[in-house]
Amino acid sequence: MDRAEYEANLRRATLSSSVGSALEYFDFAMYGLMTALVFDRLFFSTENPAMATVAAFGIYGVGFAARPFGGLFFGTIGDRIGRRWVLVATIVLMGGASTLIGVLPTYEQVGILAPILLVVLRLLQGFGAGAEQAGATVLMAEYAPVKRRGFFSALPFVGIQAGTLLASLAFFALTLMPEDAFLSWGWRLPFLASLALILIALWIRSKLRETPSFIQLEKHEQIAEKPLREIFTRGRGGVVVGIGLRMAENGGSYMFQSIALAFVTSAAIGMDRGIVTWGVTFGSLIGIFSVPLTGALSDRLGRVPVYRFGAVFMLIYSFPAWYLLSLGDELVAVAVIAVGIGVAVNSMLGPQCAMLPELFGNRHRYLGVAMARELSAVLAGGLAGVLGAALLAWTGGNWIVLAIYMTTLAAITTASTFLVPETRSRDLLRIEDAVRISTSEEGTATEIELSEGASAQATGAGSERR
């Protein structure tokens, strides 16, 4: 395509990915807020409030459990037929399931059928979301100019912050309603409103062309017939390292957005839910600036140093943050959550947007990114909700165990940054991965190796290709 057409498609790709990210994280942030504060009363028996909270977070985790299967299914299709149409399918599935949550009957109305229906829709929501973010990540990395790939790849993830910000603002507005009205019909409004974002995203994506990298695969007849086999043979190293990189970013995000709110609004501490929700709001507002900023910094300083800064920051921040949350001061809690989301989490998210696609070769990039993102989402994000709620119930709201859990996630990610090569400016037309697991003659994995030429210094003239 000529330059004018390329720039037009770059704008469409950015807008398309941003709207999809906004929809996904509006739905997931809203679901997390509702889970932390009201879903235990709406969809479960209230005879045992602590167990109702654990059950509510269990269904929250079900959505994460479905995501790897969605990533596996749609990622395989994305590497075989292209990125564009998969993104159309995922937005319909994910958004449609979210909209239907808004019309579900409650436990009081239909009993046990209520949580069963919620599980089904949560599974569909997670199945669609399993490839949505991976697709947006790959789409932008493959469209972006090489020397500014970190910045452009991070722009759609401003949609994550916008979606989270919109969810927290909407939830705060709903908390101003009389509680009876909120519990009877007010909670449904945000889920029903997601239909508008679906229609906008569909209209934009219908006008988008396929990415330059995938077009080159078609042109040279290099499309993988069995990308699933490739990812479990050649691509395992990138998936393993990618999971490690995501543990603190993904797990920390959901701990600050949901577990922290459940912790500070519990009977033991008793903060006002409407006030502390502003922590998520301000954190997302900070993220609108910190995500593209750290993405741009990764273009100048490298992906690894910027990513490592965020991981180490969370490592140091975990214990002071949970201690301060335990003090019962609402303004302090708002500040702690805002810094946790806006700085600790998003300092990793910014460089990650380009880094994950750069880890994988062109033939199985979509599937590789999807697997790294979604397996980590189960281990970090989904487990954070279930384990965090269980820890709150079992320890009577002990902040130390939550701090230990977050510190562990941050330590895993910090260690993972020493296993990944510098991928800045890597040529995305390359077939081999930046990280690979070498095997012995017997086929047993023996070590993780850094692929030669993966660093920016080794890409040479090839780094100028898109």
Side-chain angles (χ1 to χ4, degrees), residues 412-426:
I412 292 171
T413 295
T414 301
S416 297
T417 63
F418 289 94
L419 295 176
V420 65
E422 179 52 65
T423 60
R424 177 182 56 176
S425 300
R426 192 170 194 265

Side-chain angles (χ1 to χ4, degrees), residues 281-295:
T281 305
F282 289 131
S284 302
L285 188 60
I286 294 170
I288 290 176
F289 302 96
S290 62
V291 170
L293 174 62
T294 52

Side-chain angles (χ1 to χ4, degrees), residues 384-449:
V386 179
L387 182 58
L391 289 173
L392 285 176
W394 295 336
T395 64
N398 190 322
W399 67 270
I400 295 177
V401 293
L402 295 173
I404 292 173
Y405 181 42
M406 181 173 282
T407 300
T408 302
L409 294 176
I412 292 171
T413 295
T414 301
S416 297
T417 63
F418 289 94
L419 295 176
V420 65
E422 179 52 65
T423 60
R424 177 182 56 176
S425 300
R426 192 170 194 265
D427 182 7
L428 294 187
L429 297 183
R430 297 177 67 156
I431 301 300
E432 75 277 9
D433 292 351
V435 178
R436 65 177 182 269
I437 292 183
S438 65
T439 57
S440 65
E441 292 182 2
E442 290 78 16
T444 304
T446 57
E447 61 178 330
I448 293 181
E449 296 180 338

